[in-house]
Amino acid sequence: HLDEVIRHWVQDNKQEKLIADSQVNIPPEHEHASTESGDYQSAYNREIAGLDMNVGIQRFGKSSYIEILRSYVTHTPTLLDILKKADSDNLNNYATHVHGIKGSSRGIGAFSVGDAAEALENAAKAGNIDFVNNNNKDFIQMVETLVSDINGFLNDVLPQSNKPKKDKPEREILAKLMTACAKYDMDGVDTTMAEIDAYDYESDDGLICWLRENVSLTNFTQIQEKLLLLTERETL
């Protein structure tokens, strides 16, 4: 509901598109120092359909842009799962989540996805369920392909970690994190996240990236809810 009110009274669609389409020239001294090998540099030159990486690199610098891409591929699939349930009864919710994909996609330089998301958002706001139904499946496929291609790029450009590997975080450490979040124990949260980050996980389904981002935002209630749900699923 808050999002609806803000978008009604504050959002400037023309300005939003101008910002998204602009290419901000970052002075060289603000660019993160590049330490990539020749192989990594060639990975940066890869063309990904529907993604203008030059825009993202100019806007954020290579290091920050990589982190933004990692966040994009971690969180966008969750939004797509919500969009798959589009019907005439939840168009407002659909509009809110496709709006999020619109902004994040334009932010990374995926303008074709952003434009398609905008068309779907406008249709949902207008109650045009036929347009949503006719275009939603192709849109989801477009975004899933982009996410897959970005993941391939990230696997090539990111150096291999020397951390020991585990299948997934142990339940005990996740329970410890839940307790620290429940108490708003910042030191406890930081210490537990450091323990979690000591390993690489082979099948965490994006959980660790999600935890890092939400810890940084102090979304402790959301962390508790997610970890509790995961625990209940494993118990079943």
Side-chain angles (χ1 to χ4, degrees):
H1 290 299
L2 176 62
D3 185 75
E4 286 288 324
V5 173
I6 290 173
R7 285 195 286 112
H8 177 74
W9 292 106
V10 178
Q11 178 173 303
D12 184 339
N13 285 318
K14 292 182 179 179
Q15 185 67 16
E16 179 185 64
K17 189 166 179 60
L18 284 173
I19 293 172
D21 290 344
S22 66
Q23 294 190 19
V24 179
N25 292 319
I26 299 176
E29 61 270 19
H30 292 163
E31 175 70 50
H32 291 280
S34 176
T35 58
E36 293 84 3
S37 68
D39 291 339
Y40 290 164
Q41 188 61 47
S42 65
Y44 277 114
N45 295 329
R46 175 193 302 179
E47 290 189 5
I48 296 178
L51 180 66
D52 191 338
M53 287 199 292
N54 288 328
V55 170
I57 291 171
Q58 288 179 350
R59 185 174 292 162
F60 303 110
K62 284 183 180 177
S63 297
S64 294
Y65 186 51
I66 290 298
E67 291 305 313
I68 290 167
L69 289 178
R70 290 177 67 173
S71 179
Y72 184 87
V73 299
T74 297
H75 300 291
T76 301
T78 301
L79 298 178
L80 292 179
D81 287 340
I82 296 171
L83 298 190
K84 291 175 183 177
K85 303 170 185 176
D87 58 47
S88 57
D89 294 327
N90 70 350
L91 283 181
N92 286 337
N93 188 52
Y94 179 94
T96 297
H97 289 89
V98 80
H99 172 82
I101 293 178
K102 176 186 71 175
S104 61
S105 298
R106 285 178 173 166
I108 65 171
F111 298 113
S112 56
V113 169
D115 291 344
E118 182 176 35
L120 285 165
E121 179 189 4
N122 291 337
K125 289 179 181 177
N128 189 347
I129 185 63
D130 289 337
F131 183 92
V132 172
N133 285 337
N134 290 336
N135 293 277
N136 193 43
K137 184 176 180 180
D138 288 343
F139 174 73
I140 290 172
Q141 180 61 56
M142 178 194 300
V143 182
E144 287 178 339
T145 299
L146 177 63
V147 167
S148 176
D149 289 345
I150 293 174
N151 267 321
F153 163 75
L154 292 176
N155 288 336
D156 288 344
V157 79
L158 293 176
Q160 296 298 313
S161 172
N162 292 321
K163 295 179 184 178
K165 295 185 181 298
K166 285 188 176 182
D167 179 46
K168 57 186 176 181
E170 296 175 354
R171 291 181 61 182
E172 292 77 12
I173 194 70
L174 296 181
K176 185 177 176 181
L177 180 60
M178 271 198 296
T179 300
C181 288
K183 296 178 179 178
Y184 274 74
D185 176 6
M186 298 296 296
D187 290 338
V189 169
D190 290 341
T191 299
T192 307
M193 281 304 301
E195 293 180 45
I196 292 174
D197 278 332
Y199 297 89
D200 279 333
Y201 302 95
E202 297 177 335
S203 58
D204 73 319
D205 294 326
L207 175 63
I208 304 307
C209 288
W210 185 90
L211 287 175
R212 288 193 198 105
E213 181 157 336
N214 282 274
V215 163
S216 70
L217 297 172
T218 62
N219 290 335
F220 291 166
T221 299
Q222 291 89 328
I223 292 172
Q224 291 178 74
E225 292 172 351
K226 186 177 186 73
L227 294 181
L228 181 60
L229 181 61
L230 288 174
T231 302
E232 291 174 348
R233 286 177 180 171
E234 288 187 0
T235 302
L236 293 175

